């Protein structure tokens, strides 16, 4: 068993002890229902063939079909995909979606592929896993390194392989292929709705809150846009290459950073040479330095295991919002709690993506097309309900928001598992 999955299971163990679950229920929750591995072979533009390992993990369908993204990233390995599938099962249960958990991945760097190569790889993935997927079985979606174009290719390949064109087989598609309005921004927007509720509880005005964001991709950038719009002050941002930190008393401008990312692929709003920035309103730093920079809120929107035992005691933020999956290592949690740092856990903070994916699946099945206003309203209602339940449980049981969220999700999964057996 790989570390990432062992880490995930430590959370299960803690909840199991609290809930006093039957051993046979625990045994079912401790492992995925299925692990499917394949070796994909696809043609490069120069005629060579590339062979890569690929996975799909299906985790507890007691509450409904498996659901979860497909990741293209060079570090993909089975333990990580198992952990992510486990978190998807918990997330769907927490926000009461009719799905279990799933995750897929290919160990490859998509940035090194041409569009045509990416298309051949996406279609090869779908062909390898077509017989375990389906609107009632397992419904993939985008994740790190994949996007709506990849989902469109996969939906098209599914139709070719099965002879059935079923939009609901995959979510996160483009609008003209049956995607949902609001899917693109859903994860960042969902995190934003959760933060607003949190600020109400803490009696904090948005204008009084400074924030730093690690990861300026889909989740991080949409969150930053919305939070900046209500007056929260962006004082730090990083992508995988560079961090930019505002000078004391200054705020970073979302539009300048967003334009720099679009036009030049960097979060740096200036054009000074790296390490030689002379701007008065900000300075350059390493992505790692950002995590311990000054700011009230730290938003983690990059990858797993960013806050660890090594840096947890240096975090200065008093609030953490986890838009990424598992960005805090289990051993860092007690260290953060010890310093009074509150963490809004991933399975709540980043559930917006799978919630709107569920809306897409529902629209496809009912042959409907909802307005963006409708999608936003339903997303907000779903997340505010989940936040209120987790907040109350944490208060009553005097536990962290993470413990409350995980315990509640595991109870729902365990109840569904027991009912079924
Ligand atoms: P993305 O690929 O669009 O963006 C990732 C960003 O993180 C990029 O800006 C990249 O440069 C940055 N990054 C990578 N390593 C970094 C590092 N060490 N320091 C600073 N920045 C770094 O991915 P995304 O879709 O925004 O997903 C981000 C995270 O959110 C992932 O953990 C993903 O699983 C999770 N998530 C995403 C969604 C979604 O709908 N997009 C839903 C749920 C969870």
């Amino acid at each position: 068993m790989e570390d990432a999955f062992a880490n995930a299971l430590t959370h299960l163990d803690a909840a199991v002890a609290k809930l006093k679950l039957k051993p046979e229920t625990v045994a079912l929750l401790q492992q995925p229902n299925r692990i499917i591995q394949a070796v994909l072979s696809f043609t490069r533009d120069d005629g060579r063939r590339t062979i890569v390992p690929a996975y799909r993990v299906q985790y507890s369908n007691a509450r409904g079909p498996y659901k979860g993204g497909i990741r293209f990233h060079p570090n993909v390995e089975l333990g990580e995909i198992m952990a992510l599938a486990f978190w998807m099962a918990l997330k769907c249960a927490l926000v009461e979606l009719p799905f279990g958990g799933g995750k897929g991945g290919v160990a490859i760097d998509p940035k090194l592929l041409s569009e045509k190569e990416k298309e051949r790889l996406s279609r090869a993935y779908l062909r390898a896993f077509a017989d375990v997927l389906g609107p009632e079985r397992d419904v993939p979606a985008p994740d790190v390194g994949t996007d709506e174009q990849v989902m469109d290719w996969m939906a098209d390949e599914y139709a070719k392989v099965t002879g059935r064109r079923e939009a609901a087989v995959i979510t996160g598609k483009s609008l003209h292929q049956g995607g949902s309005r609001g899917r693109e921004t859903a994860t960042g927007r969902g995190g934003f709705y959760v933060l607003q509720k949190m600020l109400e509880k803490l009696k904090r005005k948005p204008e009084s809150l400074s924030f730093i964001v690690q990861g300026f991709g889909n989740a991080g950038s949409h969150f930053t846009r919305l939070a900046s719009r209500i007056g929260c002050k962006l004082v730090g941002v990083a992508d995988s290459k560079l961090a930019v930190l505002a000078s004391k008393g200054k705020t970073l401008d979302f539009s300048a950073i967003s334009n720099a990312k679009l036009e030049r692929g960097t979060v740096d709003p200036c054009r000074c040479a790296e390490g030689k920035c002379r701007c008065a309103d900000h300075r350059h730093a390493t992505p790692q330095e950002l995590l311990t920079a000054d700011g009230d809120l730290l938003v983690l929107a990059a990858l797993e295991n960013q806050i660890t035992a090594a840096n947890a005691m240096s975090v200065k933020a008093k609030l953490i919002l986890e838009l990424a999956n598992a960005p805090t290592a289990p051993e860092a949690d007690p260290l953060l709690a010890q310093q009074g740092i509150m963490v809004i856990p991933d399975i709540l903070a980043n559930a917006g993506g799978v919630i709107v994916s569920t809306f897409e699946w529902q629209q496809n099945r009912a042959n409907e097309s909802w307005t963006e206003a409708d999608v936003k309203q339903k997303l907000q209602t779903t997340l505010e309900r989940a936040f209120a339940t987790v907040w109350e449980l944490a208060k009553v049981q005097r536990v962290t928001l993470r413990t409350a969220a995980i315990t509640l999700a595991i109870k729902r999964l365990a109840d569904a598992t027991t009912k079924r057996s």
Side-chain angles (χ1 to χ4, degrees):
M1 192 190 301
E2 304 287 341
D3 278 351
F5 187 56
N7 279 348
L9 286 191
T10 59
H11 292 290
L12 175 65
D13 294 343
V16 162
K18 242 184 201 332
L19 292 168
K20 302 190 175 66
L21 300 179
K22 289 193 188 124
E24 56 272 26
T25 308
V26 178
L28 273 174
L29 295 177
Q30 268 171 340
Q31 53 205 321
N33 291 13
R34 290 177 87 184
I35 297 171
I36 309 111
Q37 305 195 41
V39 175
L40 307 185
S41 162
F42 67 102
T43 312
R44 305 302 285 261
D45 292 342
D46 62 5
R48 280 179 304 133
R49 287 194 82 75
T50 292
I51 310 265
V52 275
Y55 311 95
R56 185 73 190 167
V57 173
Q58 301 179 327
Y59 214 114
S60 178
N61 60 352
R63 293 177 46 87
Y66 308 105
K67 179 108 195 67
I70 298 170
R71 175 173 292 200
F72 289 175
H73 192 274
N75 297 346
V76 159
E77 47 88 23
L78 181 58
E80 176 199 47
I81 300 295
M82 287 164 72
L84 291 167
F86 169 78
W87 290 121
M88 283 305 295
L90 263 57
K91 198 183 300 181
C92 291
L94 180 69
V95 294
E96 299 183 270
L97 303 178
F99 284 111
K103 206 78 181 187
V106 182
I108 197 158
D109 187 348
K111 289 183 195 144
L112 304 180
L113 301 179
S114 71
E115 272 305 279
K116 278 280 159 216
E117 289 171 337
K118 219 191 295 179
E119 175 173 358
R120 285 181 218 119
L121 172 67
S122 305
R123 290 182 183 277
Y125 183 94
L126 197 286
R127 282 195 300 278
F129 295 98
D131 56 345
V132 297
L133 304 177
E136 300 285 344
R137 299 183 78 180
D138 184 347
V139 185
D143 193 72
V144 176
T146 58
D147 56 15
E148 62 177 33
Q149 175 60 80
V150 171
M151 299 303 113
D152 285 356
W153 288 324
M154 289 187 176
D156 184 61
E157 194 64 22
Y158 184 81
K160 279 190 187 151
V161 171
T162 62
R164 293 189 305 276
R165 194 158 283 280
E166 291 178 285
V169 68
I170 209 157
T171 60
K173 303 177 296 292
S174 65
L175 213 49
H176 69 280
Q177 292 295 333
S180 176
R181 290 183 180 82
R183 173 64 183 86
E184 173 70 13
T185 59
T187 302
R189 179 174 290 282
F192 168 70
Y193 289 145
V194 170
L195 175 71
Q196 280 187 308
K197 282 286 140 193
M198 187 73 187
L199 292 183
E200 271 177 39
K201 294 286 182 200
L202 300 177
K203 300 191 175 28
R204 289 278 305 250
K205 291 211 161 23
E207 311 82 60
S208 76
L209 191 88
S210 60
F211 71 115
I212 48 190
V213 181
Q214 186 206 33
F216 201 72
N218 175 290
S221 66
H222 288 299
F223 172 86
T224 305
R225 176 173 55 82
L226 294 166
S228 298
R229 196 190 280 170
I230 60 163
C232 301
K233 295 187 171 49
L234 178 65
V235 293
V237 63
D239 63 11
S240 58
K241 295 176 228 129
L242 180 79
V244 174
L245 299 175
S247 308
K248 209 169 169 46
K250 302 281 183 195
T251 305
L252 299 173
D253 175 34
F254 167 76
S255 305
I257 291 165
S258 177
N259 289 339
K261 190 76 185 163
L262 276 176
E263 287 161 16
R264 290 178 284 122
T266 169
V267 290
D268 187 3
C270 67
R271 287 175 185 271
C272 304
E274 208 173 311
K276 294 194 179 140
C277 181
R278 296 193 191 284
C279 298
D281 58 349
H282 70 263
R283 68 178 177 88
H284 292 172
T286 65
Q288 280 309 307
E289 278 175 71
L290 176 102
L291 298 173
T292 53
D294 282 319
D296 301 317
L297 166 71
L298 170 61
V299 180
L300 298 171
L303 291 172
E304 300 85 12
N305 282 324
Q306 298 301 303
I307 304 296
T308 62
N311 61 7
M313 294 307 284
S314 310
V315 170
K316 297 200 188 71
K318 281 290 166 230
L319 182 62
I320 293 179
L321 181 79
E322 295 184 335
L323 290 184
N325 289 309
T328 307
E331 66 273 14
D333 255 342
L335 302 177
L336 295 175
Q338 193 182 311
Q339 301 167 83
I341 300 173
M342 291 181 90
V343 179
I344 309 178
D346 47 6
I347 57 171
L348 177 62
N350 73 23
V354 70
I355 293 170
V356 176
S357 268
T358 303
F359 297 163
E360 180 176 334
W361 180 79
Q362 290 168 338
Q363 290 171 77
N364 291 158
R365 286 159 59 93
N367 210 7
E368 288 175 359
S369 177
W370 303 351
T371 64
E372 188 158 352
D374 244 4
V375 170
K376 285 183 192 166
Q377 185 55 55
K378 287 175 205 277
L379 171 64
Q380 187 165 5
T381 307
T382 309
L383 276 167
E384 289 185 354
R385 189 172 55 220
F387 176 84
T389 314
V390 170
W391 179 268
E392 276 316 304
L393 191 65
K395 213 165 82 180
V396 170
Q397 300 198 342
R398 300 165 87 66
V399 294
T400 62
L401 294 173
R402 189 189 312 282
T403 301
I406 291 178
T407 312
L408 181 60
I410 287 179
K411 171 148 183 20
R412 288 185 180 149
L413 268 184
D415 286 350
T417 306
T418 315
K419 221 179 266 171
R420 229 184 182 205
S421 47

